[in-house]
Amino acid sequence: MWRELRLIVGKDLRIEARSRVVTNQILPFALLILVLFAFAIDPDRGILARVTGGLFWIAVLLATVLAVQRSFGLEAADGTRDGLRLAGLEPAAVFLGKAAAIFLELLALEAVLLLGVAILYTADLGEPLLLLATSVAATAGLAAAGSLYGVLAAGLRVRETLLPLLLLPVVAPVLIGATRGFESALRAASADQLQCVTRDSIEVQLHANIGREYEVELVAQQRLAGVGLFRTEYLFLDEPEAPSLARQQELYRRIATQLQGRPLVIRTLDLG
């Protein structure tokens, strides 16, 4: 059976390599979904950050429907399914081979979509192992369910509309679990930052207002997003003489290093 399974996988992947439908059509379609969601929700970055996981898996689900429809539509049009049955191949090998080919295509698509999420949604993908485990498990479920219902709908005239109606309710638990896993990975990546949400569910970031170098340590201790204002007038008031340019540059450099990538806003001097 394993030899037959490899033959089915190789056949489907060779068809994709020659036609490049996934790379030239399905992938741009999925990326366009992410772009449209980014434009629609971008005015509220807090909401966009919270729904990143759901938007990602919606794009993957729609791409799955297109990939399954194309995979089984080709076989129905060319009589390949009849040929596979006449060849005496194990039904389990045919099913697993089709599911494995769709699984590999979706994994490659998800890798590109993750890059798009990181760029468009500024998501911190700091837990790659959790993201990988979530993607593998969810993609296996999508590929298996898609292959099962794809072959059932392939021989029907209404297969383009019937497949989503059959598939979407079945994979809903898979999408819910995948979204929760994605959200857990994003929360773990940003666990060093205090999560602040207003009563009307708007996420905000707290930044510190400090004036001396030793106060930078409090930013990390309180898990603040950064320094919203560093009041440099204290540098002039605390010393008998005005500090030199080199002294100021060195101080600001040390503060930026201690913040470890957190934003830093420096006020040159307040004479008011």
Side-chain angles (χ1 to χ4, degrees):
M1 186 185 77
W2 297 109
R3 177 178 176 275
E4 297 172 354
L5 187 151
R6 290 195 299 270
L7 290 175
I8 299 297
V9 174
K11 172 185 72 68
D12 284 4
L13 293 182
R14 281 193 297 271
I15 292 175
E16 170 53 31
R18 293 168 182 171
S19 63
R20 298 182 181 178
V21 172
V22 172
T23 55
N24 293 342
Q25 297 180 28
I26 298 179
L27 176 59
F29 171 75
L31 288 173
L32 182 60
I33 293 174
L34 294 181
V35 171
L36 292 177
F37 277 127
F39 281 129
I41 311 178
D42 183 68
D44 193 334
R45 302 296 295 183
I47 295 179
L48 184 60
R50 293 198 299 275
V51 300
T52 294
L55 299 182
F56 173 83
W57 286 107
I58 287 176
V60 172
L61 175 61
L62 296 178
T64 300
V65 173
L66 293 179
V68 170
Q69 283 182 338
R70 177 184 175 277
S71 177
F72 288 95
L74 286 176
E75 295 189 347
D78 298 338
T80 306
R81 285 191 304 159
D82 296 331
L84 292 175
R85 286 197 294 267
L86 292 174
L89 299 177
E90 287 282 345
V94 176
F95 170 76
L96 293 177
K98 299 290 294 184
I102 295 174
F103 172 81
L104 294 175
E105 293 174 4
L106 290 178
L107 273 187
L109 181 140
E110 289 167 15
V112 180
L113 291 183
L114 277 175
L115 180 61
V117 165
I119 296 175
L120 295 173
Y121 300 169
T122 61
D124 185 3
L125 308 178
E127 289 291 327
L129 293 180
L130 181 56
L131 289 175
L132 178 61
T134 302
S135 296
V136 170
T139 305
L142 292 175
S147 299
L148 177 61
Y149 288 97
V151 71
L152 293 177
L156 304 176
R157 293 183 179 179
V158 293
R159 59 179 177 269
E160 289 81 5
T161 54
L162 182 60
L163 177 60
L165 292 177
L166 294 174
L167 182 61
L168 297 185
V170 174
V171 299
V174 176
L175 291 183
I176 293 173
T179 301
R180 294 296 180 268
F182 201 103
E183 291 174 349
S184 298
L186 295 181
R187 282 197 299 268
S190 58
D192 62 335
Q193 194 174 117
L194 187 64
Q195 301 297 313
C196 304
V197 182
T198 62
R199 290 184 177 179
D200 52 351
S201 300
I202 303 300
E203 186 172 350
V204 297
Q205 291 185 333
L206 290 184
H207 293 72
N209 184 332
I210 62 176
R212 294 175 175 84
E213 183 180 2
Y214 69 87
E215 296 175 324
V216 178
E217 297 180 0
L218 300 176
V219 176
Q221 293 176 7
Q222 300 298 325
R223 298 190 300 154
L224 302 179
V227 175
L229 178 63
F230 183 77
R231 304 171 63 183
T232 54
E233 61 267 24
Y234 287 105
L235 179 61
F236 290 78
L237 297 175
D238 292 343
E239 299 186 5
E241 297 181 357
S244 64
L245 178 60
R247 166 96 168 82
Q248 297 180 58
Q249 290 176 337
E250 179 61 26
L251 174 63
Y252 303 151
R253 187 179 296 110
R254 290 200 306 269
I255 293 174
T257 302
Q258 294 177 51
L259 288 174
Q260 298 179 343
R262 290 183 173 90
L264 169 63
V265 178
I266 299 176
R267 181 164 67 188
T268 53
L269 183 61
D270 185 2
L271 296 178

